[in-house]
Amino acid sequence: MKNYIFELRMKVRDYECDLQGIVNNANYQHYIEHTRHEFLTSSGISFAHLHDEGIDPVVARITMAFKVPLRSGDEFLSKLNLRKDGIKYVFEQDVFKIEDDGNLRLSLRAEVETVAVINGRLSHCEIFDKVFALYIG
């Protein structure tokens, strides 16, 4: 298993499941978004402060591959890595079901491309470059 720069433990809630008893696909986006937000907060980045400064990080593209479904009550780890591609920051995010024996089983593999809109224009973001330099070689 590869090394990750951040992880967040969560638990599936009943209302996140569909009639089949598995997590509805849209809820995985909530899980990985919450993980990104917690990562940014832990890195000292505040969305409200950025917005006040005219900086809005936005998702440009998401690719998700579903592997093993999560069910109500399942605990899972949402993990991420980060790389830069031009003006995009790409979050590589994996969600792992925590099995009864403690082993991890891949549930979702996602790639989230984000960009910065500064004062209404797609732009390079120096704040992210500075903060993310710790994570990107």
Side-chain angles (χ1 to χ4, degrees), residues 8-10 70 74-77 96-105:
L8 185 64
R9 188 179 184 127
M10 291 183 266
L70 294 173
D74 283 348
E75 292 191 42
F76 61 95
L77 286 176
F96 294 92
K97 177 181 177 184
I98 302 171
E99 300 282 357
D100 291 339
D101 61 5
N103 287 322
L104 300 180
R105 193 162 176 201

Side-chain angles (χ1 to χ4, degrees), residues 25-95:
N25 64 82
N27 286 310
Y28 287 92
Q29 286 192 50
H30 293 282
Y31 299 156
I32 62 177
E33 180 173 19
H34 183 62
T35 304
R36 288 192 309 280
H37 283 230
E38 289 295 316
F39 166 69
L40 294 173
T41 299
S42 75
S43 300
I45 295 175
S46 161
F47 272 97
H49 177 73
L50 287 175
H51 180 73
D52 291 344
E53 298 293 318
I55 303 169
D56 293 303
V58 297
V59 171
R61 179 189 319 252
I62 297 177
T63 304
M64 297 170 47
F66 300 93
K67 304 297 184 180
V68 172
L70 294 173
R71 299 181 182 281
S72 181
D74 283 348
E75 292 191 42
F76 61 95
L77 286 176
S78 180
K79 301 184 177 201
L80 68 77
N81 278 319
L82 179 63
R83 73 176 196 273
K84 188 166 184 190
D85 181 11
I87 64 169
K88 296 182 289 192
Y89 283 96
V90 180
F91 290 88
E92 298 166 345
Q93 296 189 245
D94 294 331
V95 172

